[in-house]
Amino acid sequence: MKIKQVEELVGITKKNIRFYEEQGLLQIERAENGYREYHQKDVIRLQEIQLLRKIDISIEEMRALFEQKESLQICLEQHLKELEHRKRSLGKMQEICERMIQEHLSLDTLDAEACLEEVEKMEKEGVKFMDVNRTDVHRKKMTGAIVGAAVMIVLMVCSMLLVIWANTQDPIPWGLLVLFLAVPAVIVIGTLAALAGRMKEIEGGEEDEASKY
């Protein structure tokens, strides 16, 4: 079957299917014409991947599992320990928030330095807090995508306004006017569509998910 059929059967996008192939989680056969040919076993493997990702099993853990370097039981037991560790870390964050609320702190009375010292002490004891650097990089990517798209859109809008102004000075045939306006308009639409796709990737694409591990 073709990848479009696999998308419909499993509910995973073509891009993520390709990503799983690149990561070595899928071994897809090639037909005589060179095109990828998917089979029922590939659908089953994708369903397995989908389930394991739903419970936050990492790409690296899945690779070891599929390469039979460890069993499903061992994989799940190790993951359960990690989840327990995260639960403990979240509990510590909750305790800090609750204490700050109980102390009726405001920005004027908040001693951020003392709180950070307490957080750093907990981190040395193994508690995991939010990775500020990763969050900031995430935001930087989004800002860069928006700025790039905005520059392109402004350029295209300016070119359209220039065409309209030039037409008022020296009218051109309607067919050419429509063409000169349609090209930048299509570019604007394409830029917006590309921006929407990029924002979706940054917010939750498998590539970003995999980079956490």
Side-chain angles (χ1 to χ4, degrees):
M1 68 184 78
K2 303 303 179 186
I3 195 168
K4 185 68 177 177
Q5 295 171 283
V6 177
E7 280 185 292
E8 294 172 355
L9 280 172
V10 186
I12 297 178
T13 66
K14 181 190 300 184
K15 186 167 187 177
N16 279 346
I17 293 173
R18 294 275 192 263
F19 172 74
Y20 294 139
E21 289 183 51
E22 292 169 3
Q23 295 299 311
L25 303 181
L26 276 173
Q27 304 296 329
I28 306 302
E29 298 175 4
R30 297 271 183 172
E32 292 182 359
N33 56 13
Y35 289 104
R36 290 176 174 86
E37 186 66 36
Y38 296 85
H39 302 282
Q40 184 60 29
K41 64 181 179 64
D42 301 312
V43 171
I44 293 172
R45 174 51 54 87
L46 282 167
Q47 289 172 333
E48 293 170 347
I49 292 171
Q50 191 175 36
L51 171 61
L52 294 171
R53 292 302 288 133
K54 288 286 187 183
I55 59 175
D56 205 21
I57 299 292
S58 73
I59 298 295
E60 290 298 327
E61 289 172 313
M62 282 194 286
R63 187 182 294 116
L65 179 61
F66 295 153
E67 291 176 358
Q68 298 184 337
K69 293 180 179 178
E70 64 180 38
S71 67
L72 179 60
Q73 285 295 315
I74 292 175
C75 178
L76 292 174
E77 287 171 2
Q78 291 175 342
H79 187 57
L80 186 58
K81 290 179 182 178
E82 173 64 21
L83 291 176
E84 289 291 342
H85 188 69
R86 289 189 211 172
K87 183 179 177 180
R88 176 170 171 265
S89 297
L90 288 172
K92 292 296 183 182
M93 292 184 210
Q94 184 178 353
E95 287 176 13
I96 292 174
C97 291
E98 289 174 349
R99 189 174 72 245
M100 291 171 71
I101 291 171
Q102 290 169 0
E103 293 175 358
H104 302 287
L105 294 176
S106 66
L107 283 178
D108 293 329
T109 59
L110 175 64
D111 188 347
E113 184 178 4
C115 290
L116 283 172
E117 287 177 359
E118 182 181 357
V119 166
E120 288 172 4
K121 182 180 178 181
M122 290 182 185
E123 285 179 327
K124 289 178 180 178
E125 294 172 353
V127 178
K128 292 183 180 179
F129 287 86
M130 178 65 68
D131 188 335
V132 178
N133 290 329
R134 180 181 294 149
T135 302
D136 289 345
V137 168
H138 194 80
R139 186 175 295 111
K140 185 177 180 180
K141 287 181 180 181
M142 295 180 71
T143 302
I146 292 171
V147 170
V151 170
M152 178 60 69
I153 290 171
V154 168
L155 288 174
M156 292 301 101
V157 170
C158 288
S159 68
M160 292 172 71
L161 292 174
L162 183 60
V163 169
I164 293 172
W165 175 82
N167 186 62
T168 61
Q169 302 301 309
D170 185 14
I172 59 176
W174 276 101
L176 284 177
L177 177 61
V178 171
L179 178 62
F180 289 152
L181 292 176
V183 171
V186 170
I187 292 175
V188 167
I189 294 171
T191 300
L192 290 172
L195 176 62
R198 179 58 181 153
M199 297 299 283
K200 186 176 180 181
E201 284 180 6
I202 294 172
E203 288 175 358
E206 281 292 341
E207 292 84 345
D208 286 340
E209 283 296 315
S211 69
K212 296 179 183 178
Y213 303 97

